[in-house]
Amino acid sequence: MEDPKKRWCPLKGNLFFLMKNKTKSSEVLEVLILERCSIVQFRNKADVSIVLKFQSGEPDLYLEAASRVNCESWAVALGEASSEGLRNKIQQLQRLIMEIKEETTADEAQQFLPSVQADNLAESKLTSLKKNASEPKLEFSLACKDLVAPTRDRKLNTFVQITVVHPGEQTSARYSSTEIVEGTRDPLFLTGVTFPRDYPIYEETKIKLTVYDVKDKSQDTVRTSILADHKEPRADIGRSFLGCTIFKVGELVKSKEQQLTLSLRSSDGGKTVGTVDVSLVKMGETEDGESDHNTADVQGQKCALVYECTSSENSSKDNLPLLNAVLKNPICKLYRFPSSDNKWICVREQMSESTLSFHIPKELINLHIKEDMRRNQDLKELGELSPHWDNMCKTVIAHCDQMLTLYQDMLAELEKYTGSSFKSSCSKGEKTLEFVPVNLHLQRMYVHSPRLKDVLYDVITVGAPAAHFQGFKNGGLQKLLNKFESERRNTGYQCIYYSPENTAKAKEVLSNINHLQPLISSHTDLLLNSARQHLPDSLKNSLKTLSETTELFVHAFKDQLIRSALLALYMARPGCVLKNPTVPRINVEDSGDQPNQEHPHEIKRQDSIPHHSEYDEEEWDRVWTNVGKSLNCIIAMVDRLLEKENTPCVAKENESDPLPAERMASPLSGDWYEQLYPLTVTLKDCIGEVVTRARQSMSFVLLQELACSLPQCLMLTLRRDIVFSQALAGLVCGFIIKLHSSLHDQGFLQQLHTVGLIVQYEGLLSTYSEEIGMLEDMVVGISDLQKVTFKITEAKSDDLLPVITGRRGHYIIEIKLPEKMFELLPQEIKEGKPLRVYPVLFNVGINEQQTLAERFGDTSLQESINQENWELLKEYYKLFTEKMPPDCLPHFQEQNDLKGLLENLHQNIQAKKRKNVEIMWLAAMICRKLNGIRFTCCKSAKDRTSMSVTLEQCSILRDEHQLHKDFFIRALDCMRREGCRIENVLKNVKCRKYAFNMIQLMAFPKYYRPPEGTYGKADT
């Protein structure tokens, strides 16, 4: 080798110049083309030499740099200078660009183009997919064959990542991924790919499939779409790239066998590393009445791949408006699981938000505002009171006005809210969203198995109804209400004690006043209008309606409570001093009604001090009896008018006339209107007098409740309203979904109006620390749902959102159906028959806090809840068997009858076994067999709820659809790792991890533990 010489060496592309010196005018000694050559860099840290070896046989070129750093820099530059090195660099940059694009558009994976933009794009350039309007646009399954491992001894653990390339924008979005299949080079994935009906996918849309080998599952927790403000880890952490391929949607849907076999290419695009089979899945459609059958080997199990199934009755496009009104932002997942007879079970999992999360609270708050405004006005119109009662009334009114302002402010805040249609778990403590349920979603599983009818299984998942903002330092509603009632009983002479039943009765009387008085007034106007037009038939019909309404009015005030309250109010007037000045603690049972005077007279306010004996207890009887007499007067007059017209009499011929003789002798000549008008005025006056007295007396009863414990009473009412609002939003959502899915089930519709529906809540709260307070709130909120009735009406417009009427303690939910759906209902429901619900709650704590409660705390609350609700469930079953024929039960493959299941449930409750989750399994099974509505709740409906609903879904597949026993755990892991529930976690906390740690999971029952790599600390 010659002695080294100092040279100036510019590098231009793949041309390496050797120049004598650095000046521009220096001559070029030699030019080398850096093709088909290799660079050898000595590994010795002290060595700064590089050798260029040429394949053409030319002499090697030795280069020596000034330093080791300079030497390494030259080695890289020379290595990338050739065309091959340049090509590799370009490919590397292209992959990097694709990864960056995928990361920056990751938030688009579940978010769609604006509908108008998408429609215009489709009409102008793109070809839409022809699909049933209620079905997903596209579904396909995946399997790989002959994958090439990076090293010979490497056992592959693979999954496929699906990326969508939108043709209109030429951008890609990471959409979903399959589960990880371990230890095989021919993985057949149980998790498929499904695109909801609103997703903008067309025949020109490209789908990219990327296969990865997972090295460490514990680090591979975030693989699919994540929210924009959360960065995804680098692709080389926990996994390695194997190969990818891309295809157009049109190629798949137009293929003859509706299946594509695509080659997977390595990163440089040249080497084939295996193939991937893409098979179109059709659930809900049939072609020529036959199903395609293919076979595949799933770990030694030969399975017929049944992709098509018969159309479901529930998929009618006529039903879509109702679903679209209450459901929003669906997330769909597709699975195929082998059955015990080596067939495929096709499963579509769907999770949707509900617009009712905010609609129901706004409706309810608005109703409370109206009710409280009437109450406050009634208190202000109590009339003149003695100083003690007057001061008390003013104090109560001031507090009530403040609370009314609070409700109005809350409604204003909700009206301004423009965020997502569900309340995330991170927001459960926000004051402005107190009335909104936490994380309310519909969890739906649609199953097609070869030998059974297609079935829908729905569970409503929602955070436990609880007042999180107010906190649980002093317990929840159950404890607070018991304490409040105990303190009220022990109040001193300042106010009168009325039992909760009497207070509720007072509210009912006031509600009847507000409802019936205007109704009677409108009916009298209709009667007079018929008389003015001289229409006999119309006059008879108007009289009949007026009579029925007035009779309801009269019976509504035949109550002992009004008598006792009138006496108490009389004693609270100025100048009324009793011989015994102590204010009595009045109860309906204790207040007598023996008349003190034989002859009636009016109560007159006077300066002299009246005695108790001066109060005429018979006056109230005369007041409301005058209403009936006035009505009879009108009936008799109408009879005589119609008799003169030779029309049939309305009244009975022998009916005695209670009116004075002189009034009945009024002339019949002249206009009908003139004859009836004075009588209707008398009726209205009599009703007005009854209303005034009853309203004041019942308002006085409410004054006692409020005055005994200000402001605790109002704050308890607020807390109860908050909890009830959350519970009601979930119930209305569940009722609508159940009605929609069962409209063609005549047995269910008969059960609905004959018996009512069971609504079963599964609670997963512990009886330790704050969750005891949540459970106490939840118990009261669910119990209050017994006060709700539903009424189904035909929609008169496109607005299908439910309407709430009534008052606290008696709510009516009006469900509006489109005309074609309404026609399917039985006549009883069409006529507006009230439909009842029977809520029951079974709770079993499963976390580490429950372990502490069981060993060192108290579980009596959970035990009493389960026992009491078993009694309620048993009563419903008894009512069901008495009124319904046995063939109305769902046609499941029965292993035990309902009576046996109920007894088994009772035995498990009595056993008092620690974390006895079989209680929840049995309660859920009984609910499904009774056509009930299922709920699952934990603190946020995110982590424990996800474990429970996925276990329930897989248990149903095993018990009802013969899921192969060897695939139960794998199916469970699929749903928890890649299903809708991990998407729910992502929506709530922007991280794809269940909020468990290893220590916590050690305390969980076995089947409630998530798969490795799906849990850990979530940064919320």
Side-chain angles (χ1 to χ4, degrees):
M1 184 176 68
E2 300 179 6
D3 294 335
K5 299 176 181 178
K6 189 174 183 179
R7 293 288 182 260
W8 175 248
C9 303
L11 181 62
K12 303 290 185 181
N14 63 347
L15 300 179
F16 186 63
F17 296 86
L18 298 178
M19 304 180 70
K20 192 171 184 178
N21 54 51
K22 193 175 181 180
T23 62
K24 291 183 179 180
S25 59
S26 176
E27 62 177 312
V28 177
L29 300 178
E30 191 174 358
V31 178
L32 301 177
I33 302 176
L34 300 181
E35 296 294 342
R36 301 181 65 194
C37 67
S38 58
I39 292 89
V40 178
Q41 181 183 2
F42 295 99
R43 297 300 178 189
N44 188 349
K45 290 185 178 181
D47 204 321
V48 291
S49 301
I50 299 174
V51 181
L52 289 178
K53 292 182 174 293
F54 294 90
Q55 298 178 14
S56 61
E58 295 183 11
D60 296 343
L61 179 63
Y62 289 83
L63 304 173
E64 188 174 307
S67 64
R68 182 64 183 173
V69 175
N70 202 6
C71 176
E72 292 178 350
S73 177
W74 268 107
V76 173
L78 292 171
E80 294 179 348
S82 66
S83 57
E84 182 180 359
L86 185 61
R87 183 168 58 251
N88 290 337
K89 188 173 183 179
I90 291 172
Q91 290 176 349
Q92 183 182 0
L93 289 172
Q94 286 176 336
R95 289 197 303 273
L96 184 60
I97 290 171
M98 181 62 76
E99 288 184 8
I100 293 173
K101 283 185 176 180
E102 290 177 2
E103 287 182 5
T104 56
T105 60
D107 58 321
E108 296 179 6
Q110 297 295 340
Q111 311 227 359
F112 311 143
L113 292 172
S115 58
V116 176
Q117 177 185 351
D119 292 342
N120 293 339
L121 191 62
E123 291 177 3
S124 59
K125 299 179 181 179
L126 306 176
T127 308
S128 299
L129 300 177
K130 294 181 180 179
K131 197 73 173 178
N132 188 315
S134 63
E135 293 291 314
K137 280 191 174 179
L138 177 69
E139 293 179 310
F140 58 84
S141 60
L142 298 168
C144 293
K145 293 180 181 178
D146 304 323
L147 295 179
V148 178
T151 57
R152 289 185 179 181
D153 58 345
R154 168 70 180 163
K155 288 187 177 181
L156 294 175
N157 302 323
T158 52
F159 74 90
V160 180
Q161 183 171 278
I162 296 89
T163 304
V164 178
V165 183
H166 295 293
E169 298 181 351
Q170 290 302 322
T171 59
S172 60
R174 210 170 278 136
Y175 183 74
S176 67
S177 61
T178 66
E179 82 281 10
I180 299 172
V181 179
E182 300 181 10
T184 178
R185 298 190 179 190
D186 301 316
L188 195 153
F189 300 99
L190 303 183
T191 306
V193 183
T194 180
F195 293 90
R197 61 177 181 268
D198 296 329
Y199 196 90
I201 190 168
Y202 309 95
E203 291 187 7
E204 292 80 5
T205 303
K206 294 180 180 179
I207 306 291
K208 180 184 176 183
L209 306 176
T210 308
V211 182
Y212 289 98
D213 175 29
V214 177
K215 302 174 184 176
D216 185 359
K217 286 199 294 183
S218 64
Q219 295 185 25
D220 192 67
T221 58
V222 184
R223 296 201 302 276
T224 62
S225 61
I226 57 175
L227 300 186
D229 54 352
H230 192 85
K231 294 297 182 182
E232 175 154 358
R234 295 294 304 162
D236 57 354
I237 296 179
R239 57 181 172 170
S240 62
F241 173 87
L242 287 183
C244 65
T245 187
I246 195 166
F247 67 94
K248 285 187 177 181
V249 171
E251 296 172 357
L252 175 62
V253 298
K254 292 180 178 179
S255 60
K256 185 175 181 181
E257 297 181 353
Q258 297 190 328
Q259 180 174 331
L260 298 177
T261 299
L262 307 170
S263 297
L264 291 167
R265 300 290 179 180
S266 58
S267 58
D268 59 6
K271 184 180 178 182
T272 300
V273 295
T275 61
V276 58
D277 291 335
V278 185
S279 302
L280 194 67
V281 176
K282 291 186 177 181
M283 293 180 67
E285 293 185 5
T286 309
E287 294 183 3
D288 300 327
E290 297 181 356
S291 298
D292 293 337
H293 295 266
N294 301 315
T295 59
D297 191 352
V298 186
Q299 297 185 0
Q301 300 289 330
K302 287 285 184 180
C303 298
L305 309 187
V306 183
Y307 289 143
E308 299 184 1
C309 63
T310 57
S311 179
S312 171
E313 290 179 319
N314 303 323
S315 299
S316 172
K317 63 181 181 180
D318 297 329
N319 299 353
L320 282 179
L322 179 63
L323 281 187
N324 291 337
V326 298
L327 297 181
K328 195 174 181 182
N329 298 334
I331 294 176
C332 297
K333 301 290 179 177
L334 181 70
Y335 312 97
R336 51 176 180 170
F337 301 127
S339 64
S340 56
D341 57 355
N342 296 330
K343 303 289 185 182
W344 279 114
I345 306 169
C346 289
V347 179
R348 182 187 299 139
E349 185 185 28
Q350 178 178 318
M351 180 183 69
S352 302
E353 302 167 13
S354 176
T355 57
L356 301 181
S357 289
F358 285 83
H359 174 74
I360 294 298
K362 287 190 285 189
E363 283 274 309
L364 205 55
I365 295 173
N366 192 43
L367 196 68
H368 293 330
I369 290 173
K370 293 178 181 177
E371 180 182 353
D372 290 349
M373 289 176 70
R374 286 195 299 266
R375 178 200 62 195
N376 294 1
Q377 187 61 33
D378 290 342
L379 290 174
K380 293 173 184 177
E381 294 175 355
L382 270 176
E384 192 176 1
L385 300 171
S386 63
H388 166 73
W389 296 107
D390 189 55
N391 291 333
M392 180 185 293
C393 187
K394 289 178 180 178
T395 303
V396 168
I397 290 172
H399 279 88
C400 289
D401 285 340
Q402 290 178 3
M403 192 58 65
L404 180 61
T405 302
L406 179 62
Y407 279 80
Q408 291 170 335
D409 292 343
M410 285 186 173
L411 180 59
E413 289 295 326
L414 285 181
E415 294 288 358
K416 291 189 295 185
Y417 180 82
T418 57
S420 61
S421 56
F422 82 105
K423 174 181 166 183
S424 72
S425 62
C426 299
S427 304
K428 60 178 172 284
E430 287 190 19
K431 178 175 177 58
T432 56
L433 301 180
E434 279 188 289
F435 281 78
V436 181
V438 178
N439 196 18
L440 174 62
H441 283 80
L442 164 68
Q443 179 79 17
R444 166 167 286 185
M445 183 174 70
Y446 172 42
V447 184
H448 167 70
S449 49
R451 297 181 181 178
L452 296 175
K453 184 181 178 181
D454 299 346
V455 189
L456 286 176
Y457 300 94
D458 291 335
V459 179
I460 306 297
T461 62
V462 63
H468 292 278
F469 176 79
Q470 296 189 23
F472 309 97
K473 183 178 180 181
N474 299 314
L477 271 174
Q478 188 179 65
K479 180 178 180 180
L480 293 171
L481 287 171
N482 290 337
K483 182 180 178 183
F484 170 76
E485 188 58 32
S486 175
E487 290 176 350
R488 271 213 329 135
R489 287 180 178 272
N490 298 322
T491 53
Y493 66 89
Q494 291 89 351
C495 57
I496 304 169
Y497 173 77
Y498 288 94
S499 67
E501 294 76 18
N502 288 339
T503 304
K505 182 64 179 177
K507 294 176 182 178
E508 182 182 349
V509 170
L510 288 171
S511 176
N512 287 333
I513 289 173
N514 296 326
H515 172 66
L516 293 176
Q517 186 183 19
L519 209 57
I520 292 174
S521 179
S522 65
H523 289 331
T524 55
D525 292 342
L526 289 174
L527 181 75
L528 291 175
N529 188 49
S530 300
R532 181 184 290 110
Q533 300 180 37
H534 214 277
L535 301 173
D537 291 339
S538 177
L539 188 67
K540 285 192 294 182
N541 293 333
S542 299
L543 179 61
K544 181 182 178 182
T545 307
L546 176 62
S547 300
E548 292 172 352
T549 308
T550 307
E551 286 176 11
L552 288 175
F553 179 87
V554 171
H555 287 295
F557 298 107
K558 285 185 177 180
D559 196 282
Q560 191 72 15
L561 176 63
I562 300 178
R563 294 174 177 273
S564 62
L566 282 169
L567 172 59
L569 179 59
Y570 172 79
M571 292 187 291
R573 298 297 186 192
C576 179
V577 178
L578 300 182
K579 293 178 180 178
N580 182 2
T582 304
V583 177
R585 302 174 64 80
I586 297 177
N587 281 292
V588 169
E589 296 79 12
D590 302 331
S591 56
D593 279 275
Q594 299 299 324
N596 295 313
Q597 297 183 5
E598 296 181 0
H599 302 286
H601 63 83
E602 293 183 2
I603 299 175
K604 299 179 181 180
R605 292 198 184 101
Q606 50 190 356
D607 296 333
S608 60
I609 300 176
H611 297 288
H612 183 241
S613 60
E614 295 180 7
Y615 176 67
D616 182 6
E617 294 183 355
E618 290 185 347
E619 184 174 6
W620 168 246
D621 293 334
R622 289 193 296 274
V623 168
W624 66 262
T625 302
N626 284 340
V627 174
K629 291 181 178 180
S630 299
L631 176 64
N632 288 336
C633 182
I634 294 175
I635 292 173
M637 179 58 70
V638 170
D639 286 348
R640 300 178 75 175
L641 292 172
L642 294 176
E643 186 179 0
K644 189 176 180 180
E645 290 287 320
N646 296 321
T647 58
C649 280
V650 175
K652 295 180 181 179
E653 293 180 1
N654 298 325
E655 186 176 33
S656 61
D657 187 0
L659 295 174
E662 63 271 18
R663 186 173 287 186
M664 291 298 298
S666 57
L668 294 179
S669 58
D671 188 40
W672 285 6
Y673 178 85
E674 293 177 356
Q675 301 290 333
L676 287 173
Y677 178 75
L679 303 180
T680 59
V681 170
T682 303
L683 176 63
K684 288 182 178 181
D685 290 343
C686 292
I687 287 175
E689 189 173 357
V690 170
V691 164
T692 300
R693 292 171 183 264
R695 191 192 298 276
Q696 288 184 344
S697 62
M698 295 299 95
S699 298
F700 189 73
V701 172
L702 299 186
L703 174 65
Q704 310 309 310
E705 180 193 39
L706 294 167
C708 284
S709 52
L710 281 175
Q712 293 91 334
C713 178
L714 293 175
M715 293 307 298
L716 268 180
T717 301
L718 173 62
R719 187 182 189 109
R720 197 166 188 169
D721 288 344
I722 288 170
V723 174
F724 179 76
S725 173
Q726 296 177 23
L728 183 64
L731 174 64
V732 177
C733 178
F735 185 91
I736 292 175
I737 297 303
K738 184 67 179 178
L739 178 65
H740 173 270
S741 62
S742 306
L743 269 176
H744 297 270
D745 185 345
Q746 294 303 314
F748 166 82
L749 295 176
Q750 182 182 352
Q751 174 187 353
L752 181 60
H753 70 80
T754 305
V755 186
L757 288 187
I758 195 76
V759 183
Q760 186 253 325
Y761 288 81
E762 174 184 305
L764 299 163
L765 296 173
S766 67
T767 54
Y768 188 81
S769 188
E770 282 194 344
E771 290 197 5
I772 296 181
M774 297 178 199
L775 186 56
E776 289 172 342
D777 274 356
M778 186 179 182
V779 169
V780 176
I782 291 174
S783 177
D784 283 347
L785 294 177
Q786 298 177 50
K787 305 167 185 175
V788 175
T789 57
F790 288 84
K791 183 175 70 171
I792 302 176
T793 61
E794 183 179 348
K796 303 302 180 183
S797 67
D798 294 334
D799 181 11
L800 298 178
L801 290 174
V803 176
I804 306 177
T805 55
R807 56 178 174 81
R808 291 182 181 91
H810 182 70
Y811 298 94
I812 301 171
I813 315 298
E814 180 187 346
I815 305 298
K816 294 180 280 188
L817 293 186
E819 180 183 359
K820 292 184 178 180
M821 295 178 70
F822 188 76
E823 290 173 355
L824 300 174
L825 298 175
Q827 191 62 34
E828 293 89 344
I829 298 179
K830 288 181 181 179
E831 292 174 354
K833 183 176 180 179
L835 310 175
R836 289 196 60 190
V837 291
Y838 297 83
V840 292
L841 166 65
F842 293 93
N843 187 86
V844 177
I846 62 172
N847 65 357
E848 77 287 355
Q849 290 188 329
Q850 186 63 22
T851 303
L852 295 174
E854 290 170 341
R855 294 186 179 179
F856 310 111
D858 181 14
T859 61
S860 58
L861 174 62
Q862 176 174 287
E863 292 166 5
S864 62
I865 289 172
N866 292 342
Q867 179 61 37
E868 290 168 8
N869 283 273
W870 180 82
E871 297 286 349
L872 294 174
L873 185 59
K874 184 181 178 182
E875 284 298 316
Y876 177 84
Y877 172 69
K878 181 181 178 182
L879 186 65
F880 182 91
T881 52
E882 288 174 354
K883 294 189 175 183
M884 294 293 294
D887 58 355
C888 289
L889 293 178
H891 299 289
F892 288 121
Q893 294 181 349
E894 302 278 354
Q895 295 180 353
N896 298 296
D897 61 5
L898 278 166
K899 189 174 181 180
L901 289 172
L902 277 167
E903 185 57 37
N904 194 1
L905 175 61
H906 188 234
Q907 291 173 1
N908 275 277
I909 292 172
Q910 293 295 314
K912 297 182 180 180
K913 176 183 173 183
R914 290 180 178 177
K915 294 184 181 176
N916 189 1
V917 292
E918 192 169 349
I919 290 174
M920 298 188 294
W921 301 347
L922 289 167
M925 187 183 301
I926 293 169
C927 174
R928 288 194 300 272
K929 292 182 183 299
L930 285 172
N931 284 321
I933 305 172
R934 279 275 298 113
F935 282 80
T936 299
C937 310
C938 64
K939 181 167 67 175
S940 301
K942 177 171 62 71
D943 303 304
R944 282 170 281 178
T945 294
S946 295
M947 298 303 102
S948 179
V949 294
T950 49
L951 176 60
E952 181 177 352
Q953 289 177 169
C954 289
S955 298
I956 290 172
L957 293 176
R958 178 194 61 198
D959 299 338
E960 310 294 347
H961 299 276
Q962 291 76 53
L963 171 67
H964 198 290
K965 63 180 181 179
D966 294 339
F967 284 83
F968 178 80
I969 297 299
R970 187 173 165 189
L972 196 58
D973 287 352
C974 277
M975 290 185 175
R976 289 173 176 174
R977 185 183 292 275
E978 301 300 337
C980 291
R981 298 313 302 183
I982 198 71
E983 299 289 345
N984 182 270
V985 174
L986 179 66
K987 290 169 65 174
N988 277 274
V989 297
K990 301 183 176 70
C991 180
R992 197 178 294 274
K993 289 184 181 180
Y994 299 110
F996 304 130
N997 58 47
M998 184 60 72
I999 303 299
Q1000 288 175 310
L1001 292 179
M1002 290 173 64
F1004 274 50
K1006 177 182 176 181
Y1007 291 115
Y1008 289 83
R1009 300 171 186 171
E1012 182 184 358
T1014 62
Y1015 58 87
K1017 182 180 179 182
D1019 182 12
T1020 62

